[in-house]
Amino acid sequence: MAPSAMADIAPMQLPVYSKHSNKVNASVLHGPRDLRLEVRNIEEPGPGELQIAIKSTGICGSDVSYYKKFANGDLCACAPLSLGHESSGTVVAIGSQVNGFRVGDRVALEVGVPCGQCGICRKGRYNLCKRMRFRSSAKSIPHYQGTLQERINHPANWCHKLPEHVSFEAAALLEPLSVAIHAVNRASPTPGSTALVIGAGTVGLLTAAMARQSGCTSVTITDVDAGRVNYAIKKGFATHGFVVPRPSRSNSSVYTDSGSSTPLESGATTPASLFPSTIHDQLESAKSLALEILSLTKLPANLQDDDEDEGVDVTFECTGKEACMHTSLYATRPGGKVIMVGMGTPIQTLPMSAAHLREVDILGIFRYANTYGTGVRLLSAQRYCGAGFTLPSLDDMVTHKFKGLGAAKKAFELASKTVDDDGNLVLKVVIEA
């Protein structure tokens, strides 16, 4: 007798409903800096969904932009919006048609939910899905509400289990780490490559670390903030650091930054010229800046090859600023790559011949795809400090914590600065449950 076909079918997991109230507190943005604590209704998780009690949410630069302007670039919010998309939590309820999860599981949330049906999704590049819904973004209407809520229902397919030793704060930073992983995957550096990272915010730091993880022997990081560059070197995110001086107020459109900053340390490296206003002068300044950055890692004279062109193999531009793209193109060797990581100025004037005539590839990235599994494995490996490069502690990147959604406004105000009132570095601000 043939065995029963039922033997090959996994037992159905029955839904497990929440014992919590159907009311949750939520931090809701109604306009520029108009952040309110409200009570919302929450239903039981639907088919394929988990209900997650949010434990930790990191504040991203895009969140700060929405908080300040009720917009992020060209995306303007047209309805109240809960912010937050760097999050982790615990499973408190399970909907039908969900297998592999239990109440109490610790998870990181991948908050971009694609359609899963279109051609681009089927090719695995679901981050480019036209019907993508991304929490805390105003792109989709109605807006897909962010994670600054006590509990949310989220598709189980986009919840990633965590090892017990990984903190909720580190798990929340899997989101910016995913951006960095995706950027380095797009660059595909070979072992022994050299890299430059422009911008030492959270994504820039993690991109530098992932470049080192991929086998780059030299990774230089630059920023206008000396505190962040110093942190990058001290914690091992990069091998070299370069502090770019801030422009005069009259040229503030070239490099912009919010909040106060840590001062330049004595002897900090600065470029020979500052930031003139004409495009020709700006390009000349970018060339000069690129040369000074490259001088940090220049080989000794007896090891230099006269026929070898100067430049790094890969530049990761993590600011989105036009002037930084200029520097990126001039700092990259012929045949190298410039990876556009930061989203900033949407229309830029660039010296395209610097790329065209030297076959410098310019590659864009948008968020990430197929990266969370890699990120979880990297965090899991941090407890085993074996030979070779180990990803620096993500917990150390959390410089400030705020307790409860009621403290969200203070958290956003601090996240818009680079130092706190005591002069301490502000890197990643987290709101805890």
Side-chain angles (χ1 to χ4, degrees):
M1 178 182 291
S4 171
M6 293 299 293
D8 297 328
I9 300 177
M12 180 181 296
Q13 179 171 325
L14 297 176
V16 180
Y17 294 122
S18 173
K19 297 179 181 179
H20 297 82
S21 165
N22 63 348
K23 304 285 186 182
V24 294
N25 288 321
S27 176
V28 185
L29 187 69
H30 286 259
R33 285 190 158 89
D34 183 7
L35 201 59
R36 308 176 193 177
L37 189 61
E38 298 179 353
V39 176
R40 286 178 168 172
N41 294 320
I42 185 171
E43 299 177 349
E44 297 291 353
E49 289 185 333
L50 300 174
Q51 188 169 114
I52 308 298
I54 302 299
K55 296 297 185 182
S56 184
T57 297
I59 297 179
C60 173
S62 64
D63 292 324
V64 173
S65 179
Y66 278 116
Y67 171 73
K68 287 182 170 182
K69 300 180 290 187
F70 209 43
N72 181 36
D74 295 334
L75 299 177
C76 298
C78 60
L81 177 66
S82 284
L83 299 175
H85 56 267
E86 301 176 359
S87 292
S88 60
T90 57
V91 176
V92 296
I94 302 172
S96 62
Q97 302 175 25
V98 174
N99 288 305
F101 287 92
R102 295 181 179 180
V103 169
D105 280 345
R106 305 164 73 254
V107 295
L109 302 181
E110 186 171 353
V111 299
V113 180
C115 74
Q117 304 297 320
C118 67
I120 202 75
C121 283
R122 292 198 300 271
K123 291 177 182 177
R125 302 186 71 175
Y126 58 84
N127 56 314
L128 305 179
C129 174
K130 290 182 179 180
R131 295 194 289 274
M132 165 75 75
R133 294 184 304 141
F134 194 89
R135 289 192 182 273
S136 77
S137 171
K139 185 174 183 180
S140 58
I141 299 175
H143 302 330
Y144 198 24
Q145 298 297 308
T147 56
L148 284 177
Q149 307 180 67
E150 286 179 324
R151 286 175 283 129
I152 64 171
N153 294 326
H154 197 69
N157 286 343
W158 304 106
C159 296
H160 303 270
K161 288 185 181 180
L162 299 169
E164 286 298 324
H165 71 276
V166 175
S167 70
F168 286 118
E169 290 78 15
L173 293 187
L174 276 169
E175 203 276 341
L177 178 61
S178 283
V179 176
I181 293 170
H182 187 53
V184 174
N185 285 345
R186 291 276 282 158
S188 300
T190 56
S193 295
T194 56
L196 169 64
V197 178
I198 298 182
T202 301
V203 169
L205 289 167
L206 293 172
T207 299
M210 287 309 304
R212 294 196 67 187
Q213 180 84 33
S214 73
C216 290
T217 53
S218 170
V219 179
T220 302
I221 195 165
T222 74
D223 200 275
V224 295
D225 189 84
R228 293 188 172 192
V229 174
N230 296 336
Y231 177 90
I233 301 304
K234 179 180 178 181
K235 298 295 185 178
F237 288 87
T239 60
H240 300 78
F242 185 97
V243 181
V244 180
R246 292 175 178 273
S248 63
R249 185 171 295 274
S250 61
N251 290 310
S252 60
S253 63
V254 178
Y255 284 96
T256 59
D257 197 78
S258 56
S260 54
S261 300
T262 49
L264 292 174
E265 291 188 347
S266 175
T269 310
T270 59
S273 58
L274 292 178
F275 303 88
S277 57
T278 69
I279 184 63
H280 177 268
D281 289 343
Q282 288 175 20
L283 295 180
E284 289 301 313
S285 177
K287 289 179 183 178
S288 175
L289 177 57
L291 287 174
E292 294 201 41
I293 293 170
L294 294 175
S295 70
L296 290 177
T297 54
K298 197 169 185 178
L299 291 172
N302 63 319
L303 297 179
Q304 292 179 25
D305 185 346
D306 292 338
D307 295 328
E308 186 71 22
D309 291 289
E310 288 190 333
V312 295
D313 296 298
V314 183
T315 298
F316 298 93
E317 203 298 290
C318 298
T319 72
K321 301 298 181 184
E322 182 180 87
C324 297
M325 272 300 294
H326 296 167
T327 303
S328 297
L329 290 170
Y330 290 128
T332 306
R333 68 165 179 81
K337 297 176 183 178
V338 172
I339 312 298
M340 300 173 64
V341 182
M343 295 182 66
T345 310
I347 299 175
Q348 301 183 13
T349 301
L350 302 177
M352 295 307 296
S353 62
H356 187 186
L357 301 179
R358 301 185 306 130
E359 293 194 358
V360 173
D361 295 341
I362 302 175
L363 301 177
I365 73 154
F366 183 62
R367 294 176 182 152
Y368 42 80
N370 309 302
T371 54
Y372 263 73
T374 299
V376 170
R377 288 191 294 273
L378 288 170
L379 293 188
S380 298
Q382 284 183 316
R383 68 189 305 181
Y384 310 109
C385 297
F389 178 80
T390 301
L391 183 72
S393 169
L394 270 61
D395 289 286
D396 286 348
M397 297 180 71
V398 179
T399 55
H400 296 77
K401 299 178 183 180
F402 288 81
K403 191 73 173 178
L405 296 174
K409 188 174 180 65
K410 292 181 179 178
F412 276 98
E413 290 292 339
L414 182 60
S416 67
K417 302 176 181 179
T418 57
V419 293
D420 62 18
D421 292 340
D422 297 321
N424 299 312
L425 176 70
V426 176
L427 189 56
K428 177 55 69 174
V429 177
V430 163
I431 298 174
E432 298 179 310

